[in-house]
Amino acid sequence: MEHNGQQVGRPRDSRVDEAITAAVQELLSEVGYAGLTVAAVAERAGIGKASIYRRYATKHEMIFAAIIHGEVLEVPPDTGSLLEDLTALARVIVGHLSNPAAAGALMSLLGEIAADPTLAERFTTTFVEPERAGNAELLERAVRRGELERLPDMDLFHAMFGGTVLSWLFISHHDPHDLPERLARFACAALRSTAHQPLPSN
Amino acid sequence: MEHNGQQVGRPRDSRVDEAITAAVQELLSEVGYAGLTVAAVAERAGIGKASIYRRYATKHEMIFAAIIHGEVLEVPPDTGSLLEDLTALARVIVGHLSNPAAAGALMSLLGEIAADPTLAERFTTTFVEPERAGNAELLERAVRRGELERLPDMDLFHAMFGGTVLSWLFISHHDPHDLPERLARFACAALRSTAHQPLPSN
DNA sequence: ACCCTTTCGAGACTGCAGTTTCGAAACTAT
DNA sequence: ATAGTTTCGAAACTGCAGTCTCGAAAGGGT
């Protein structure tokens, strides 16, 4: 019998995992999402395709894993001001989404996600939830600081903040240069306003 | 020589165009974006695949054309209230984006657009510009009505409003049921606030 | 030592879907 | 009529995702 959770058989070579994610990231920036082939990834990584499919069920999952590799969306440090905190947050998001390779990949991935509940689930727990929590943490700081009376509609705020950046970059195709300042000012004004009149219509 | 703008050669059969868009729309709602194949479209339309590729450079363009077929994003009628106008606008957007078929198609298309400037250009003039103009018209009504002192940062507002719906549906995967009311209330508060203190930090 | 299991790289194989080619048909101009 | 051009549907072509097999290697259990 086996001793504990130890696996029998030859253990996986962690360098293979790294080689795969590295190859995907490289090729993603070279040929883009649409031009990326599993065979090319295997060749670039110096491994067999079987080693890829032993880890990921589909090509999309492989790319997904490579994209999120170490992509922890960290909350910017406390600046002491809600406006500046939001500006910093917007800058982080813009920074992550400005990488043109990851950009197209993310959108294509969202297309896949719309048709694949499993992938959607993973995407939510990996990306959406942590980011939402980060947003909440940032706003809680403002509440503790006294800048806001209470937390706003967090679901809405989260969708609004990230969604605005997304739309700005990939739908409007505007220059992200001064987006952080403009968005932060807008969001800040909205937050202060809604916090004081939380349910104006009822 | 040719007489006027008349084309020489066999004229295109307009029924082919209609058959294509109809087949795409049907199949899109039956099998979704990922499951849609050009062969299936051709078969359903009773035509050859060449007739499709003579009209559209890629499968994505074909789907894009079928989706936007007659999909003019109309501005909701004047309700006499900014809040209700925004609610109606949000409902229109949610309505358009709630079709699960169009959902995946739009996101996949955005992925294509990120790597195809030609497609991006067409998408902008066909979708983005008219929608932005519609948003502006709705806000101008509020200004004329006296609810707002001036138009806000329209680039930002447009990205915010549509982007929030997009993120809400396709990233957060929340129920769109009460989104229009919540978004409209949020946007309304923000607009009134920013309009009264347009440049608070300078 | 000897088995058993699993991973490894390599490559062949399969099935499908996007794209192109082809001969026939439809139309205009001369 | 005839030539030239373009569209038509059918079928062939191409390329890739995904699967499978192979012999070798790396572990652990007994």
PDB file of all heavy atoms in Angstrom, chain D residues 5-17:
ATOM      1  P    DT D   5     -12.628  39.616 -68.384  1.00  0.00           P
ATOM      2  OP1  DT D   5     -11.814  40.824 -68.200  1.00  0.00           O
ATOM      3  OP2  DT D   5     -11.988  38.280 -68.448  1.00  0.00           O
ATOM      4  O5'  DT D   5     -13.722  39.569 -67.233  1.00  0.00           O
ATOM      5  C5'  DT D   5     -14.756  40.556 -67.222  1.00  0.00           C
ATOM      6  C4'  DT D   5     -15.851  40.152 -66.249  1.00  0.00           C
ATOM      7  O4'  DT D   5     -16.647  39.082 -66.810  1.00  0.00           O
ATOM      8  C3'  DT D   5     -15.321  39.614 -64.905  1.00  0.00           C
ATOM      9  O3'  DT D   5     -15.900  40.380 -63.871  1.00  0.00           O
ATOM     10  C2'  DT D   5     -15.793  38.161 -64.864  1.00  0.00           C
ATOM     11  C1'  DT D   5     -17.006  38.193 -65.782  1.00  0.00           C
ATOM     12  N1   DT D   5     -17.342  36.884 -66.393  1.00  0.00           N
ATOM     13  C2   DT D   5     -18.612  36.386 -66.242  1.00  0.00           C
ATOM     14  O2   DT D   5     -19.485  36.962 -65.618  1.00  0.00           O
ATOM     15  N3   DT D   5     -18.831  35.169 -66.848  1.00  0.00           N
ATOM     16  C4   DT D   5     -17.921  34.424 -67.574  1.00  0.00           C
ATOM     17  O4   DT D   5     -18.234  33.353 -68.072  1.00  0.00           O
ATOM     18  C5   DT D   5     -16.614  34.998 -67.685  1.00  0.00           C
ATOM     19  C7   DT D   5     -15.543  34.270 -68.455  1.00  0.00           C
ATOM     20  C6   DT D   5     -16.380  36.197 -67.096  1.00  0.00           C
ATOM     21  P    DT D   6     -15.246  40.400 -62.422  1.00  0.00           P
ATOM     22  OP1  DT D   6     -15.170  41.793 -61.938  1.00  0.00           O
ATOM     23  OP2  DT D   6     -14.031  39.546 -62.462  1.00  0.00           O
ATOM     24  O5'  DT D   6     -16.363  39.639 -61.600  1.00  0.00           O
ATOM     25  C5'  DT D   6     -17.694  40.141 -61.599  1.00  0.00           C
ATOM     26  C4'  DT D   6     -18.647  39.053 -61.177  1.00  0.00           C
ATOM     27  O4'  DT D   6     -18.700  38.020 -62.180  1.00  0.00           O
ATOM     28  C3'  DT D   6     -18.257  38.344 -59.866  1.00  0.00           C
ATOM     29  O3'  DT D   6     -19.253  38.574 -58.886  1.00  0.00           O
ATOM     30  C2'  DT D   6     -18.144  36.881 -60.241  1.00  0.00           C
ATOM     31  C1'  DT D   6     -18.950  36.798 -61.533  1.00  0.00           C
ATOM     32  N1   DT D   6     -18.530  35.702 -62.432  1.00  0.00           N
ATOM     33  C2   DT D   6     -19.463  34.772 -62.822  1.00  0.00           C
ATOM     34  O2   DT D   6     -20.627  34.813 -62.477  1.00  0.00           O
ATOM     35  N3   DT D   6     -18.978  33.789 -63.645  1.00  0.00           N
ATOM     36  C4   DT D   6     -17.687  33.646 -64.089  1.00  0.00           C
ATOM     37  O4   DT D   6     -17.375  32.716 -64.831  1.00  0.00           O
ATOM     38  C5   DT D   6     -16.758  34.638 -63.638  1.00  0.00           C
ATOM     39  C7   DT D   6     -15.316  34.575 -64.065  1.00  0.00           C
ATOM     40  C6   DT D   6     -17.220  35.614 -62.835  1.00  0.00           C
ATOM     41  P    DT D   7     -19.175  37.932 -57.450  1.00  0.00           P
ATOM     42  OP1  DT D   7     -19.648  38.932 -56.482  1.00  0.00           O
ATOM     43  OP2  DT D   7     -17.851  37.284 -57.293  1.00  0.00           O
ATOM     44  O5'  DT D   7     -20.272  36.774 -57.564  1.00  0.00           O
ATOM     45  C5'  DT D   7     -21.605  37.095 -57.936  1.00  0.00           C
ATOM     46  C4'  DT D   7     -22.412  35.817 -58.050  1.00  0.00           C
ATOM     47  O4'  DT D   7     -21.852  35.005 -59.110  1.00  0.00           O
ATOM     48  C3'  DT D   7     -22.389  34.956 -56.785  1.00  0.00           C
ATOM     49  O3'  DT D   7     -23.706  34.617 -56.405  1.00  0.00           O
ATOM     50  C2'  DT D   7     -21.560  33.741 -57.172  1.00  0.00           C
ATOM     51  C1'  DT D   7     -21.742  33.665 -58.681  1.00  0.00           C
ATOM     52  N1   DT D   7     -20.583  33.058 -59.391  1.00  0.00           N
ATOM     53  C2   DT D   7     -20.768  31.946 -60.170  1.00  0.00           C
ATOM     54  O2   DT D   7     -21.861  31.414 -60.325  1.00  0.00           O
ATOM     55  N3   DT D   7     -19.630  31.463 -60.780  1.00  0.00           N
ATOM     56  C4   DT D   7     -18.358  31.974 -60.694  1.00  0.00           C
ATOM     57  O4   DT D   7     -17.422  31.459 -61.274  1.00  0.00           O
ATOM     58  C5   DT D   7     -18.233  33.140 -59.852  1.00  0.00           C
ATOM     59  C7   DT D   7     -16.886  33.789 -59.686  1.00  0.00           C
ATOM     60  C6   DT D   7     -19.329  33.615 -59.242  1.00  0.00           C
ATOM     61  P    DC D   8     -23.969  33.931 -55.065  1.00  0.00           P
ATOM     62  OP1  DC D   8     -25.280  34.373 -54.562  1.00  0.00           O
ATOM     63  OP2  DC D   8     -22.763  34.072 -54.213  1.00  0.00           O
ATOM     64  O5'  DC D   8     -24.091  32.406 -55.513  1.00  0.00           O
ATOM     65  C5'  DC D   8     -25.163  32.035 -56.392  1.00  0.00           C
ATOM     66  C4'  DC D   8     -24.992  30.611 -56.870  1.00  0.00           C
ATOM     67  O4'  DC D   8     -23.876  30.546 -57.791  1.00  0.00           O
ATOM     68  C3'  DC D   8     -24.627  29.606 -55.775  1.00  0.00           C
ATOM     69  O3'  DC D   8     -25.808  29.074 -55.216  1.00  0.00           O
ATOM     70  C2'  DC D   8     -23.870  28.532 -56.539  1.00  0.00           C
ATOM     71  C1'  DC D   8     -23.346  29.240 -57.788  1.00  0.00           C
ATOM     72  N1   DC D   8     -21.876  29.360 -57.857  1.00  0.00           N
ATOM     73  C2   DC D   8     -21.119  28.429 -58.565  1.00  0.00           C
ATOM     74  O2   DC D   8     -21.717  27.488 -59.114  1.00  0.00           O
ATOM     75  N3   DC D   8     -19.776  28.552 -58.630  1.00  0.00           N
ATOM     76  C4   DC D   8     -19.181  29.586 -58.012  1.00  0.00           C
ATOM     77  N4   DC D   8     -17.859  29.679 -58.121  1.00  0.00           N
ATOM     78  C5   DC D   8     -19.927  30.545 -57.277  1.00  0.00           C
ATOM     79  C6   DC D   8     -21.255  30.402 -57.213  1.00  0.00           C
ATOM     80  P    DG D   9     -25.741  28.425 -53.814  1.00  0.00           P
ATOM     81  OP1  DG D   9     -27.102  28.435 -53.265  1.00  0.00           O
ATOM     82  OP2  DG D   9     -24.621  29.048 -53.089  1.00  0.00           O
ATOM     83  O5'  DG D   9     -25.318  26.910 -54.127  1.00  0.00           O
ATOM     84  C5'  DG D   9     -26.141  26.104 -54.962  1.00  0.00           C
ATOM     85  C4'  DG D   9     -25.437  24.797 -55.249  1.00  0.00           C
ATOM     86  O4'  DG D   9     -24.143  25.062 -55.866  1.00  0.00           O
ATOM     87  C3'  DG D   9     -25.133  23.924 -54.031  1.00  0.00           C
ATOM     88  O3'  DG D   9     -25.345  22.561 -54.374  1.00  0.00           O
ATOM     89  C2'  DG D   9     -23.676  24.223 -53.723  1.00  0.00           C
ATOM     90  C1'  DG D   9     -23.099  24.483 -55.107  1.00  0.00           C
ATOM     91  N9   DG D   9     -21.992  25.428 -55.105  1.00  0.00           N
ATOM     92  C8   DG D   9     -21.935  26.635 -54.442  1.00  0.00           C
ATOM     93  N7   DG D   9     -20.823  27.283 -54.634  1.00  0.00           N
ATOM     94  C5   DG D   9     -20.090  26.459 -55.476  1.00  0.00           C
ATOM     95  C6   DG D   9     -18.789  26.622 -56.023  1.00  0.00           C
ATOM     96  O6   DG D   9     -18.020  27.566 -55.877  1.00  0.00           O
ATOM     97  N1   DG D   9     -18.420  25.538 -56.834  1.00  0.00           N
ATOM     98  C2   DG D   9     -19.218  24.443 -57.081  1.00  0.00           C
ATOM     99  N2   DG D   9     -18.696  23.507 -57.866  1.00  0.00           N
ATOM    100  N3   DG D   9     -20.425  24.275 -56.567  1.00  0.00           N
ATOM    101  C4   DG D   9     -20.792  25.313 -55.773  1.00  0.00           C
ATOM    102  P    DA D  10     -25.137  21.413 -53.355  1.00  0.00           P
ATOM    103  OP1  DA D  10     -26.218  20.445 -53.594  1.00  0.00           O
ATOM    104  OP2  DA D  10     -24.942  21.999 -52.019  1.00  0.00           O
ATOM    105  O5'  DA D  10     -23.757  20.753 -53.814  1.00  0.00           O
ATOM    106  C5'  DA D  10     -23.593  20.362 -55.184  1.00  0.00           C
ATOM    107  C4'  DA D  10     -22.214  19.757 -55.377  1.00  0.00           C
ATOM    108  O4'  DA D  10     -21.227  20.824 -55.424  1.00  0.00           O
ATOM    109  C3'  DA D  10     -21.770  18.807 -54.258  1.00  0.00           C
ATOM    110  O3'  DA D  10     -21.230  17.636 -54.841  1.00  0.00           O
ATOM    111  C2'  DA D  10     -20.740  19.609 -53.480  1.00  0.00           C
ATOM    112  C1'  DA D  10     -20.169  20.531 -54.541  1.00  0.00           C
ATOM    113  N9   DA D  10     -19.695  21.817 -54.014  1.00  0.00           N
ATOM    114  C8   DA D  10     -20.348  22.633 -53.125  1.00  0.00           C
ATOM    115  N7   DA D  10     -19.689  23.722 -52.830  1.00  0.00           N
ATOM    116  C5   DA D  10     -18.520  23.619 -53.567  1.00  0.00           C
ATOM    117  C6   DA D  10     -17.405  24.460 -53.690  1.00  0.00           C
ATOM    118  N6   DA D  10     -17.280  25.617 -53.048  1.00  0.00           N
ATOM    119  N1   DA D  10     -16.411  24.065 -54.523  1.00  0.00           N
ATOM    120  C2   DA D  10     -16.525  22.900 -55.167  1.00  0.00           C
ATOM    121  N3   DA D  10     -17.534  22.026 -55.124  1.00  0.00           N
ATOM    122  C4   DA D  10     -18.512  22.450 -54.300  1.00  0.00           C
ATOM    123  P    DA D  11     -20.750  16.429 -53.920  1.00  0.00           P
ATOM    124  OP1  DA D  11     -21.212  15.191 -54.579  1.00  0.00           O
ATOM    125  OP2  DA D  11     -21.132  16.722 -52.516  1.00  0.00           O
ATOM    126  O5'  DA D  11     -19.165  16.495 -54.022  1.00  0.00           O
ATOM    127  C5'  DA D  11     -18.555  16.955 -55.232  1.00  0.00           C
ATOM    128  C4'  DA D  11     -17.107  17.321 -54.965  1.00  0.00           C
ATOM    129  O4'  DA D  11     -17.024  18.674 -54.431  1.00  0.00           O
ATOM    130  C3'  DA D  11     -16.394  16.428 -53.942  1.00  0.00           C
ATOM    131  O3'  DA D  11     -15.097  16.126 -54.415  1.00  0.00           O
ATOM    132  C2'  DA D  11     -16.359  17.308 -52.694  1.00  0.00           C
ATOM    133  C1'  DA D  11     -16.146  18.665 -53.331  1.00  0.00           C
ATOM    134  N9   DA D  11     -16.475  19.795 -52.464  1.00  0.00           N
ATOM    135  C8   DA D  11     -17.558  19.930 -51.641  1.00  0.00           C
ATOM    136  N7   DA D  11     -17.583  21.062 -50.981  1.00  0.00           N
ATOM    137  C5   DA D  11     -16.447  21.718 -51.398  1.00  0.00           C
ATOM    138  C6   DA D  11     -15.890  22.966 -51.070  1.00  0.00           C
ATOM    139  N6   DA D  11     -16.460  23.802 -50.201  1.00  0.00           N
ATOM    140  N1   DA D  11     -14.739  23.322 -51.675  1.00  0.00           N
ATOM    141  C2   DA D  11     -14.172  22.468 -52.539  1.00  0.00           C
ATOM    142  N3   DA D  11     -14.600  21.264 -52.931  1.00  0.00           N
ATOM    143  C4   DA D  11     -15.746  20.952 -52.317  1.00  0.00           C
ATOM    144  P    DA D  12     -14.260  14.944 -53.802  1.00  0.00           P
ATOM    145  OP1  DA D  12     -14.241  13.844 -54.774  1.00  0.00           O
ATOM    146  OP2  DA D  12     -14.722  14.706 -52.419  1.00  0.00           O
ATOM    147  O5'  DA D  12     -12.804  15.590 -53.736  1.00  0.00           O
ATOM    148  C5'  DA D  12     -12.336  16.342 -54.856  1.00  0.00           C
ATOM    149  C4'  DA D  12     -11.352  17.398 -54.391  1.00  0.00           C
ATOM    150  O4'  DA D  12     -12.050  18.382 -53.571  1.00  0.00           O
ATOM    151  C3'  DA D  12     -10.204  16.848 -53.519  1.00  0.00           C
ATOM    152  O3'  DA D  12      -8.978  17.369 -54.002  1.00  0.00           O
ATOM    153  C2'  DA D  12     -10.555  17.340 -52.119  1.00  0.00           C
ATOM    154  C1'  DA D  12     -11.288  18.646 -52.408  1.00  0.00           C
ATOM    155  N9   DA D  12     -12.217  19.090 -51.375  1.00  0.00           N
ATOM    156  C8   DA D  12     -13.292  18.403 -50.876  1.00  0.00           C
ATOM    157  N7   DA D  12     -13.956  19.055 -49.948  1.00  0.00           N
ATOM    158  C5   DA D  12     -13.272  20.246 -49.831  1.00  0.00           C
ATOM    159  C6   DA D  12     -13.476  21.374 -49.011  1.00  0.00           C
ATOM    160  N6   DA D  12     -14.476  21.482 -48.133  1.00  0.00           N
ATOM    161  N1   DA D  12     -12.602  22.400 -49.146  1.00  0.00           N
ATOM    162  C2   DA D  12     -11.604  22.287 -50.029  1.00  0.00           C
ATOM    163  N3   DA D  12     -11.321  21.291 -50.843  1.00  0.00           N
ATOM    164  C4   DA D  12     -12.197  20.290 -50.699  1.00  0.00           C
ATOM    165  P    DC D  13      -7.609  16.850 -53.392  1.00  0.00           P
ATOM    166  OP1  DC D  13      -6.628  16.828 -54.497  1.00  0.00           O
ATOM    167  OP2  DC D  13      -7.841  15.644 -52.592  1.00  0.00           O
ATOM    168  O5'  DC D  13      -7.211  18.049 -52.428  1.00  0.00           O
ATOM    169  C5'  DC D  13      -7.160  19.374 -52.963  1.00  0.00           C
ATOM    170  C4'  DC D  13      -6.848  20.349 -51.843  1.00  0.00           C
ATOM    171  O4'  DC D  13      -8.005  20.501 -50.998  1.00  0.00           O
ATOM    172  C3'  DC D  13      -5.675  19.934 -50.936  1.00  0.00           C
ATOM    173  O3'  DC D  13      -4.738  20.994 -50.889  1.00  0.00           O
ATOM    174  C2'  DC D  13      -6.345  19.665 -49.584  1.00  0.00           C
ATOM    175  C1'  DC D  13      -7.578  20.556 -49.649  1.00  0.00           C
ATOM    176  N1   DC D  13      -8.734  20.125 -48.811  1.00  0.00           N
ATOM    177  C2   DC D  13      -9.266  21.023 -47.887  1.00  0.00           C
ATOM    178  O2   DC D  13      -8.762  22.132 -47.762  1.00  0.00           O
ATOM    179  N3   DC D  13     -10.322  20.632 -47.127  1.00  0.00           N
ATOM    180  C4   DC D  13     -10.848  19.420 -47.276  1.00  0.00           C
ATOM    181  N4   DC D  13     -11.895  19.091 -46.532  1.00  0.00           N
ATOM    182  C5   DC D  13     -10.319  18.491 -48.233  1.00  0.00           C
ATOM    183  C6   DC D  13      -9.271  18.882 -48.971  1.00  0.00           C
ATOM    184  P    DT D  14      -3.303  20.752 -50.200  1.00  0.00           P
ATOM    185  OP1  DT D  14      -2.326  21.568 -50.922  1.00  0.00           O
ATOM    186  OP2  DT D  14      -3.120  19.299 -50.038  1.00  0.00           O
ATOM    187  O5'  DT D  14      -3.487  21.396 -48.769  1.00  0.00           O
ATOM    188  C5'  DT D  14      -4.144  22.657 -48.657  1.00  0.00           C
ATOM    189  C4'  DT D  14      -4.192  23.079 -47.200  1.00  0.00           C
ATOM    190  O4'  DT D  14      -5.417  22.592 -46.599  1.00  0.00           O
ATOM    191  C3'  DT D  14      -3.045  22.548 -46.340  1.00  0.00           C
ATOM    192  O3'  DT D  14      -2.529  23.603 -45.573  1.00  0.00           O
ATOM    193  C2'  DT D  14      -3.692  21.461 -45.500  1.00  0.00           C
ATOM    194  C1'  DT D  14      -5.128  21.952 -45.389  1.00  0.00           C
ATOM    195  N1   DT D  14      -6.157  20.889 -45.223  1.00  0.00           N
ATOM    196  C2   DT D  14      -7.209  21.109 -44.380  1.00  0.00           C
ATOM    197  O2   DT D  14      -7.329  22.134 -43.751  1.00  0.00           O
ATOM    198  N3   DT D  14      -8.107  20.080 -44.306  1.00  0.00           N
ATOM    199  C4   DT D  14      -8.060  18.872 -44.973  1.00  0.00           C
ATOM    200  O4   DT D  14      -8.918  18.019 -44.834  1.00  0.00           O
ATOM    201  C5   DT D  14      -6.923  18.708 -45.847  1.00  0.00           C
ATOM    202  C7   DT D  14      -6.770  17.419 -46.615  1.00  0.00           C
ATOM    203  C6   DT D  14      -6.032  19.709 -45.926  1.00  0.00           C
ATOM    204  P    DG D  15      -1.138  23.500 -44.794  1.00  0.00           P
ATOM    205  OP1  DG D  15      -0.215  24.548 -45.252  1.00  0.00           O
ATOM    206  OP2  DG D  15      -0.734  22.074 -44.815  1.00  0.00           O
ATOM    207  O5'  DG D  15      -1.581  23.861 -43.315  1.00  0.00           O
ATOM    208  C5'  DG D  15      -2.706  24.699 -43.098  1.00  0.00           C
ATOM    209  C4'  DG D  15      -3.299  24.428 -41.735  1.00  0.00           C
ATOM    210  O4'  DG D  15      -4.302  23.385 -41.845  1.00  0.00           O
ATOM    211  C3'  DG D  15      -2.275  23.921 -40.711  1.00  0.00           C
ATOM    212  O3'  DG D  15      -2.501  24.576 -39.492  1.00  0.00           O
ATOM    213  C2'  DG D  15      -2.572  22.428 -40.632  1.00  0.00           C
ATOM    214  C1'  DG D  15      -4.074  22.420 -40.840  1.00  0.00           C
ATOM    215  N9   DG D  15      -4.629  21.151 -41.305  1.00  0.00           N
ATOM    216  C8   DG D  15      -4.054  20.263 -42.182  1.00  0.00           C
ATOM    217  N7   DG D  15      -4.793  19.203 -42.403  1.00  0.00           N
ATOM    218  C5   DG D  15      -5.925  19.405 -41.628  1.00  0.00           C
ATOM    219  C6   DG D  15      -7.073  18.598 -41.466  1.00  0.00           C
ATOM    220  O6   DG D  15      -7.337  17.508 -41.990  1.00  0.00           O
ATOM    221  N1   DG D  15      -7.987  19.183 -40.580  1.00  0.00           N
ATOM    222  C2   DG D  15      -7.807  20.382 -39.950  1.00  0.00           C
ATOM    223  N2   DG D  15      -8.774  20.780 -39.136  1.00  0.00           N
ATOM    224  N3   DG D  15      -6.728  21.141 -40.095  1.00  0.00           N
ATOM    225  C4   DG D  15      -5.835  20.601 -40.946  1.00  0.00           C
ATOM    226  P    DC D  16      -1.362  24.603 -38.388  1.00  0.00           P
ATOM    227  OP1  DC D  16      -0.838  25.973 -38.303  1.00  0.00           O
ATOM    228  OP2  DC D  16      -0.448  23.464 -38.633  1.00  0.00           O
ATOM    229  O5'  DC D  16      -2.196  24.300 -37.081  1.00  0.00           O
ATOM    230  C5'  DC D  16      -3.482  24.888 -36.918  1.00  0.00           C
ATOM    231  C4'  DC D  16      -4.376  23.952 -36.124  1.00  0.00           C
ATOM    232  O4'  DC D  16      -4.749  22.826 -36.941  1.00  0.00           O
ATOM    233  C3'  DC D  16      -3.689  23.364 -34.874  1.00  0.00           C
ATOM    234  O3'  DC D  16      -4.571  23.485 -33.786  1.00  0.00           O
ATOM    235  C2'  DC D  16      -3.464  21.911 -35.251  1.00  0.00           C
ATOM    236  C1'  DC D  16      -4.677  21.660 -36.140  1.00  0.00           C
ATOM    237  N1   DC D  16      -4.555  20.480 -37.032  1.00  0.00           N
ATOM    238  C2   DC D  16      -5.589  19.531 -37.057  1.00  0.00           C
ATOM    239  O2   DC D  16      -6.582  19.695 -36.343  1.00  0.00           O
ATOM    240  N3   DC D  16      -5.468  18.451 -37.860  1.00  0.00           N
ATOM    241  C4   DC D  16      -4.377  18.302 -38.613  1.00  0.00           C
ATOM    242  N4   DC D  16      -4.294  17.223 -39.384  1.00  0.00           N
ATOM    243  C5   DC D  16      -3.317  19.263 -38.609  1.00  0.00           C
ATOM    244  C6   DC D  16      -3.439  20.326 -37.797  1.00  0.00           C
ATOM    245  P    DA D  17      -3.984  23.511 -32.313  1.00  0.00           P
ATOM    246  OP1  DA D  17      -3.940  24.911 -31.895  1.00  0.00           O
ATOM    247  OP2  DA D  17      -2.774  22.681 -32.264  1.00  0.00           O
ATOM    248  O5'  DA D  17      -5.141  22.787 -31.499  1.00  0.00           O
ATOM    249  C5'  DA D  17      -6.479  23.203 -31.691  1.00  0.00           C
ATOM    250  C4'  DA D  17      -7.414  22.082 -31.325  1.00  0.00           C
ATOM    251  O4'  DA D  17      -7.287  21.008 -32.286  1.00  0.00           O
ATOM    252  C3'  DA D  17      -7.156  21.464 -29.962  1.00  0.00           C
ATOM    253  O3'  DA D  17      -8.411  21.125 -29.373  1.00  0.00           O
ATOM    254  C2'  DA D  17      -6.321  20.227 -30.292  1.00  0.00           C
ATOM    255  C1'  DA D  17      -6.870  19.816 -31.650  1.00  0.00           C
ATOM    256  N9   DA D  17      -5.905  19.187 -32.553  1.00  0.00           N
ATOM    257  C8   DA D  17      -4.667  19.657 -32.890  1.00  0.00           C
ATOM    258  N7   DA D  17      -4.024  18.891 -33.741  1.00  0.00           N
ATOM    259  C5   DA D  17      -4.900  17.844 -33.985  1.00  0.00           C
ATOM    260  C6   DA D  17      -4.811  16.700 -34.801  1.00  0.00           C
ATOM    261  N6   DA D  17      -3.755  16.418 -35.546  1.00  0.00           N
ATOM    262  N1   DA D  17      -5.867  15.858 -34.800  1.00  0.00           N
ATOM    263  C2   DA D  17      -6.931  16.155 -34.049  1.00  0.00           C
ATOM    264  N3   DA D  17      -7.129  17.201 -33.240  1.00  0.00           N
ATOM    265  C4   DA D  17      -6.071  18.014 -33.259  1.00  0.00           C
TER     266       DA D  17
END
